[in-house]
Structure formats: structure tokens, C-alpha cells
């Protein structure tokens, strides 16, 4: 399952989860024919409103665990991957 802006817009917004570390970023439940997942944009719901030093990673992970998540898939620096994986 890919998580595009379109997929998020079709998902059910669970919202922020209050944790001992503060509120998480808003979480979405997304389901399609290939399965279901929870999605959280660590840098904010719209655009890039939070830079890395201000992301509350502990709250985000705690919230996902509270919702029953057993595995987290995370990616970063897609521009870097593009260069490494490009066909030169």
C-alpha cells in the first residue's frame, strides 16, 4: 500500500493522541484492497510545519503503540535515495 495525499484524504482521521510525552501528530486510519495501516506525518499534517528538532518522536511512537501498532515503517531523505538508486 502506498500512502499518497489522496490515500490520506480518503482515510479516517483519528487525530492527535495525548501521551505522557505530549500530543502526537494527527494519525489517520487508511484501508484499501491491499490492507490497512495507520499513517502519521511526523513533520505536520500540511506541508513541512515541523522541522526535525521539533518533532515529538516519543509521543508519536507512544501513540502508535497505544493504537496497537506492532511495526513502524519510516523513510526520510527521498532526494538522497533518488540519487543513489538512479540509473546513471
Amino acid at each position: 500500500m502506498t500512502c499518497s495525499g489522496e490515500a490520506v484524504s480518503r482515510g479516517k482521521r483519528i487525530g492527535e493522541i495525548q501521551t505522557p510525552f505530549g500530543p502526537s501528530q494527527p494519525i489517520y486510519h487508511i484501508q484499501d484492497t491491499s490492507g490497512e495501516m495507520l499513517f502519521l506525518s511526523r513533520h505536520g499534517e500540511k506541508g513541512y510545519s515541523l522541522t526535525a528538532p521539533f518533532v515529538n518522536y516519543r509521543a508519536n511512537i507512544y501513540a502508535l503503540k497505544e493504537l496497537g501498532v506492532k511495526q513502524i515503517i519510516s523513510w526520510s531523505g527521498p532526494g538522497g535515495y533518488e540519487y543513489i538508486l538512479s540509473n546513471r
Side-chain angles (χ1 to χ4, degrees), residues 58-73:
R58 294 184 300 173
N60 291 342
I61 291 170
Y62 190 98
L64 292 171
K65 185 175 179 180
E66 284 292 298
L67 293 171
V69 170
K70 298 198 183 337
Q71 296 176 329
I72 296 174
I73 299 173

Side-chain angles (χ1 to χ4, degrees), residues 1 22 36 39 51 73:
M1 171 182 289
E36 64 181 309
F39 175 80
T51 57
I73 299 173

Side-chain angles (χ1 to χ4, degrees), residues 68-88:
V69 170
K70 298 198 183 337
Q71 296 176 329
I72 296 174
I73 299 173
S74 175
W75 62 90
S76 63
Y81 293 126
E82 183 179 328
Y83 175 75
I84 292 170
L85 298 175
S86 67
N87 292 327
R88 293 180 230 160

Side-chain angles (χ1 to χ4, degrees), residues 6 8 17 27-28 31 36 53 57 59 69 76-77 79 81 83:
E6 180 184 334
V8 170
I17 304 294
I27 299 171
Y28 289 81
Q31 188 168 357
E36 64 181 309
Y57 296 100
V69 170
S76 63
Y81 293 126
Y83 175 75

Side-chain angles (χ1 to χ4, degrees), residues 7-84:
V8 170
S9 69
R10 288 180 292 152
K12 177 185 173 202
R13 186 180 192 274
I14 297 170
E16 296 177 352
I17 304 294
Q18 295 301 319
T19 77
F21 305 104
S24 72
Q25 286 297 313
I27 299 171
Y28 289 81
H29 179 255
I30 301 168
Q31 188 168 357
D32 70 9
T33 56
S34 65
E36 64 181 309
M37 65 180 244
L38 295 178
F39 175 80
L40 179 153
S41 177
R42 66 181 175 257
H43 291 291
E45 207 166 3
K46 300 209 188 289
Y48 198 88
S49 59
L50 284 175
T51 57
F54 300 101
V55 173
N56 193 342
Y57 296 100
R58 294 184 300 173
N60 291 342
I61 291 170
Y62 190 98
L64 292 171
K65 185 175 179 180
E66 284 292 298
L67 293 171
V69 170
K70 298 198 183 337
Q71 296 176 329
I72 296 174
I73 299 173
S74 175
W75 62 90
S76 63
Y81 293 126
E82 183 179 328
Y83 175 75
I84 292 170

